[in-house]
Amino acid sequence: MSENEQAGEKTELPTEKRLREAREQGNIPRSRELATAAVFGAGVLAFMAYSGSMARGAKDWMRQALSPEPTLRHVPREMFGHVGELMAQLMLAVLPLLVICLLASFLAPAIMGGLRWSAKSMAPDFKRLNPLSGLKRLWGPEAIAEFIKSLLRVVFVASAAGLCVWHGIDGLRALLHEPLERAVIDGLGFTLKLVLSTAGAMALLAVIDAPYQKWNWMRKLKMTREELRREMKEAEGSPEVKGRIRQLQQQMSQRRMMEAVPTADVVVVNPTHYSVALKYEGGKMNAPTVVAMGVDEVALRIREVATGNKVAIVSAPPLARALYREGQLGKEIPVRLYSAVAQVLSYVYQLRTWRGGPMPSQPVVDIDEFAPGARP
């Protein structure tokens, strides 16, 4: 398989940026089976918990509905208000059930991908009206998966309900010979077992569907190698821009170095290829500090600035090379170079105080550039 073909295959996991953009657009994993199981199961549990209070409320509502005030027969206009009161009382009786089911409807989105509000997902999408897209949904892999899921739903629910009826068939037959009140109680008990079995079947299907929906969502968001390279390039910036930034940074660093050269005490040179400017302030610094350093053209520029500002220039090739190799801009010199730099600074201080007489002789700095422990 060619490189172009491999680059066109979506084999790479989605990046955090791609996942974040998908969530912002409202593209999150959804499981209708999990949502159905959550609402239905919560409704069953709520019915079990509040069945007593709802039964009493329904009883009072039924009594009031079937026994209206006799005066309402003579004033038909008041019947509308009476019906409104009945509807309000009915809603109040089943309000706990409705509230719990409403809260349960947020459970599935919270489990699958978190509760998110996206204006983009609410905007109309005219691509959904495309007949070709509709045909693809009817005959594509998604349609096959939905068909299999529908079969499993029928099998699970029918099996659960069938087993419940099979084990309770004798009890159902016995209802015919029981008193009305007892038959109602036993019938409601059987109905409760039936809905619990159905809820269990829906929960089992949701356990299968939820991981599949997450896997399918990740599969759709997979990226090709070309998309991954393009995103990494956008995140890190193009090489041209990064090169330009590095160039500007180097120019700014050199400008700051040149501005610091006039404050130096001495410039140690090679004398042609290396230049290192040192500064020492007794009481403020523990050791001399490198304020500028460079090779070739930068070294020549440092010497020119030093000459123009009457900064001492000392030729010590081994020391200049060692300082450039081991020193760091803005940092103190390495410990092993203390003695050699001290000789150079002592010579510079003697030049500053010289007022005639014998000229101070430049010290011969003897240093091993490649001593053990020195940085290469």
Side-chain angles (χ1 to χ4, degrees), residues 11-329:
T11 57
E12 307 300 323
L13 292 176
T15 60
E16 288 297 327
K17 179 176 179 292
R18 191 177 181 92
L19 294 175
R20 182 176 64 255
E21 290 177 349
R23 294 189 181 100
E24 289 174 356
Q25 295 174 0
N27 181 9
I28 58 176
R30 295 181 178 88
S31 174
R32 286 182 292 180
E33 306 303 327
L34 180 59
T36 303
V39 174
F40 187 78
V44 172
L45 296 177
F47 183 78
M48 292 174 59
Y50 294 97
S51 58
S53 61
M54 285 191 295
R56 288 189 295 270
K59 182 180 178 181
D60 296 338
W61 179 84
M62 186 68 71
R63 182 184 296 111
Q64 187 175 359
L66 298 178
S67 303
E69 293 292 335
T71 57
L72 294 176
R73 301 175 185 176
H74 307 288
V75 187
R77 294 180 180 178
E78 296 185 3
M79 288 294 296
F80 292 101
H82 179 67
V83 172
E85 292 179 2
L86 290 176
M87 294 302 297
Q89 292 177 4
L90 180 62
M91 293 297 297
L92 187 61
V94 298
L95 183 61
L97 179 63
L98 296 177
V99 171
I100 292 176
C101 291
L102 179 62
L103 295 177
S105 64
F106 295 100
L107 181 62
I111 294 176
M112 295 298 295
L115 298 175
R116 295 180 179 272
W117 173 263
S118 174
K120 294 182 179 180
S121 61
M122 301 294 293
D125 187 4
F126 296 102
K127 294 181 180 180
R128 297 179 181 178
L129 301 178
N130 189 351
L132 294 178
S133 301
L135 290 176
K136 290 180 180 180
R137 289 194 297 268
L138 288 176
W139 300 103
E142 298 293 332
I144 296 176
E146 289 296 325
F147 177 72
I148 295 175
K149 194 164 57 174
S150 300
L151 289 180
L152 290 177
R153 187 186 305 114
V154 172
V155 171
F156 286 4
V157 174
S159 299
L163 289 174
C164 183
V165 173
W166 177 265
H167 289 289
I169 190 67
D170 294 334
L172 290 175
R173 293 172 179 172
L175 294 178
L176 299 174
H177 308 288
E178 292 181 355
L180 178 59
E181 185 176 352
R182 184 62 185 177
V184 171
I185 295 175
D186 291 343
L188 290 176
F190 174 79
T191 304
L192 180 60
K193 292 179 182 178
L194 182 62
V195 294
L196 284 175
S197 301
T198 305
M202 291 182 175
L204 180 59
L205 183 59
V207 170
I208 298 174
D209 182 62
Y212 166 75
Q213 294 297 338
K214 278 199 172 184
W215 171 84
N216 192 37
W217 179 69
M218 291 290 290
R219 180 185 64 83
K220 291 180 179 179
L221 292 178
K222 278 187 175 181
M223 308 170 66
T224 62
R225 293 181 180 178
E226 180 62 27
E227 290 175 339
L228 187 60
R229 283 195 291 265
R230 191 184 309 118
E231 184 172 306
M232 292 178 63
K233 184 177 180 180
E234 292 176 356
E236 297 177 359
S238 63
E240 295 79 7
V241 175
K242 293 172 66 176
R244 179 59 178 167
I245 292 175
R246 284 195 297 268
Q247 182 181 3
L248 293 175
Q249 290 175 343
Q250 291 175 359
Q251 293 176 357
M252 293 176 62
S253 177
Q254 291 181 8
R255 190 180 302 113
R256 287 194 296 268
M257 281 198 316
M258 297 308 169
E259 292 174 354
V261 171
T263 66
D265 295 311
V266 63
V267 176
V268 184
V269 299
N270 188 30
T272 57
H273 295 290
Y274 293 86
S275 295
V276 180
L278 303 176
K279 180 180 181 179
Y280 178 68
E281 296 182 10
K284 295 183 179 180
M285 298 180 180
N286 296 324
T289 301
V290 178
V291 296
M293 59 194 304
V295 295
D296 298 333
E297 294 181 1
V298 178
L300 178 60
R301 179 62 179 157
I302 291 175
R303 289 195 296 272
E304 292 176 351
V305 175
T307 303
N309 290 273
K310 298 181 180 181
V311 177
I313 300 177
V314 177
S315 177
L319 178 60
R321 290 191 292 267
L323 284 170
Y324 181 82
R325 188 180 300 113
E326 302 178 37
Q328 297 183 33
L329 190 64

Side-chain angles (χ1 to χ4, degrees), residues 348-370:
V348 171
Y349 295 153
Q350 291 177 20
L351 288 177
R352 291 179 179 176
T353 59
W354 180 69
R355 294 291 183 272
M359 182 81 172
S361 59
Q362 180 173 329
V364 178
V365 180
D366 185 15
I367 183 173
D368 186 2
E369 295 183 51
F370 306 100

